Amino acid sequence: MPPDSAARLWAPLARLSAREAGLGEWAQARGKAAAGLYEFVRFGVKQGWACLFGGALCGLLILTHLVYPAGAPLARYDVLTLAAVAIQVAMLAFRLETWEEAKVILVFHAVGTAMELFKTKVGSWVYPEPSLLRLAGVPLFTGFLYASVGSYLARVWRLFDFRFTRHPPLWALAVLSLAIYANFFTQHVVADMRLGLFAAAAALFGPAVIHFKVWRVHRRMPLLLGLLLVTLFIWFAENIGTATRGWIYPHQAAGWAAVSPQKFGSWFLLMIISYTLVALVSRPRIFAEAKTVAGPEIDVAPGRPSSRRAGPEAGRAPSGPSPAAYSLAVPSTAACPTE
């Protein structure tokens, strides 16, 4: 456990961590079935903990939509903005995020807000309720919705001790992210290049394998599959956002309808930008079965060996449940409109 982790510095979490360790020992002593069930539950709890920020924002969208009085002196959108600021401050105060992660999340906040200003101007979506805390037609809470995706990725990276095989080089991800971001603007005046961007993303992420530690050993799955699963849950969250009138798309003006599946592709591309920003700070590390400490940083071409192998088994993931048993999917995270 890192010395600056919340579980060490926050007494309630420290006590819970100790009890959880005892529960794991109890499950281990009762055989493979009990240990497997415990690991599955542990996976879900850690995922929920990783998307704390996004889950809180989703909860606020639902709660304020259901109970916030329409004639209140403070607009609902402004309440959401102030609550999001309070949550972010609390996460830093309780060491639930590092300052390095917060800086990356702030960048994604700015990136999302800039895109919001353009997209609302061209009519891609609207915010139907009044507010004081806004830029042009964009309430300030929307930037935190984008930031919640970055928060999830940063936290899940640490909680699951990510390691990688054949991770794409960071410079290539940076180039792809810049192209993706530019396309969100230029698609309105020139050809939409998203099909080419999808192909580039598949080429970069397709060979990569992510190794994630739920309990005592690392499990593995294709990185591209993990990113797609995260995107699916973000799309679910976006349906929550529009159903609670956090924002609406043109086809929802007369009444709520499901968000178009086309937005799934848009969110996949936008999430790559967030993943790249987090990767630039977290510095992806090579997986090696024999190592229990952090390996060398990865910023090289895929497939190029960076260390001498200890033997024929080096670099292989430990045996365990099928990758389909686990995912990087977000059980509950906030989303915001995208196109």
Side-chain angles (χ1 to χ4, degrees):
M1 187 182 300
D4 63 344
S5 71
R8 286 189 184 276
L9 300 174
W10 195 22
L13 275 184
R15 289 192 295 268
L16 181 62
S17 179
R19 293 178 182 176
E20 187 270 336
L23 180 61
E25 295 293 340
W26 178 87
Q28 184 76 12
R30 278 154 180 77
K32 291 184 178 181
L37 178 60
Y38 167 78
E39 187 171 10
F40 179 77
V41 173
R42 195 174 201 266
F43 172 83
V45 171
K46 290 177 75 171
Q47 283 285 356
W49 187 240
C51 66
L52 178 63
F53 191 14
L57 292 180
C58 257
L60 284 170
L61 283 168
I62 295 171
L63 183 64
T64 56
H65 176 68
L66 293 176
V67 304
Y68 196 72
L74 190 61
R76 175 189 173 224
Y77 285 173
D78 293 336
V79 169
L80 290 171
T81 299
L82 296 175
V85 172
I87 293 170
Q88 182 66 80
V89 170
M91 292 186 72
L92 287 170
F94 289 114
R95 308 287 181 92
L96 302 179
E97 283 178 356
T98 68
W99 281 102
E100 289 74 17
E101 292 165 352
K103 292 174 184 177
V104 173
I105 292 167
L106 177 61
V107 171
F108 198 50
H109 188 295
V111 165
T113 301
M115 192 177 73
E116 285 278 336
L117 291 170
F118 176 80
K119 290 292 190 177
T120 53
K121 184 177 180 179
V122 299
S124 295
W125 57 82
V126 298
Y127 293 91
E129 298 181 20
S131 63
L132 293 175
L133 303 176
R134 63 167 57 216
L135 290 174
V138 180
L140 296 185
F141 78 86
T142 61
F144 291 98
L145 299 178
Y146 289 92
S148 70
V149 179
S151 174
Y152 165 76
L153 290 173
R155 286 168 55 75
V156 79
W157 197 300
R158 285 188 291 108
L159 287 169
F160 286 86
D161 189 28
F162 283 176
R163 298 289 187 269
F164 300 89
T165 302
R166 298 182 298 276
H167 190 279
L170 296 183
W171 69 263
L173 291 184
V175 171
L176 176 61
S177 296
L178 288 173
I180 289 171
Y181 192 64
N183 188 69
F184 279 119
F185 296 87
T186 60
Q187 65 178 343
H188 293 278
V189 293
V190 296
D192 188 349
M193 302 301 295
R194 72 179 64 196
L195 292 180
L197 296 171
F198 290 147
L204 285 174
F205 288 104
V209 176
I210 184 169
H211 305 263
F212 54 100
K213 190 175 184 180
V214 180
W215 186 18
R216 295 185 172 182
V217 298
H218 280 80
R219 309 299 182 185
R220 63 181 178 179
M221 71 181 302
L223 178 56
L224 182 60
L225 174 60
L227 295 175
L228 289 171
L229 289 169
V230 174
T231 304
L232 176 63
F233 278 84
I234 294 175
W235 182 80
F236 289 155
E238 188 168 30
N239 278 280
I240 294 175
T242 56
T244 57
R245 294 185 68 79
W247 61 93
I248 58 174
Y249 290 103
H251 74 281
Q252 298 169 325
W256 184 81
V259 175
S260 168
Q262 181 183 2
K263 303 302 179 186
F264 181 95
S266 299
W267 261 112
F268 172 72
L269 293 175
L270 194 60
M271 192 191 57
I272 289 176
I273 299 176
S274 184
Y275 178 89
T276 300
L277 291 171
V278 173
L280 288 170
V281 170
S282 300
R283 312 301 292 184
R285 297 183 184 274
I286 295 172
F287 175 79
E289 184 179 8
K291 293 185 177 182
T292 57
V293 296
E297 292 180 353
I298 295 177
D299 195 4
V300 296
R304 181 180 299 172
S306 61
S307 61
R308 181 177 301 173
R309 297 189 178 215
E313 296 298 315
R316 274 183 50 189
S319 60
S322 162
Y326 302 103
S327 74
L328 300 181
V330 189
S332 171
T333 187
C336 42
T338 185
E339 178 181 53

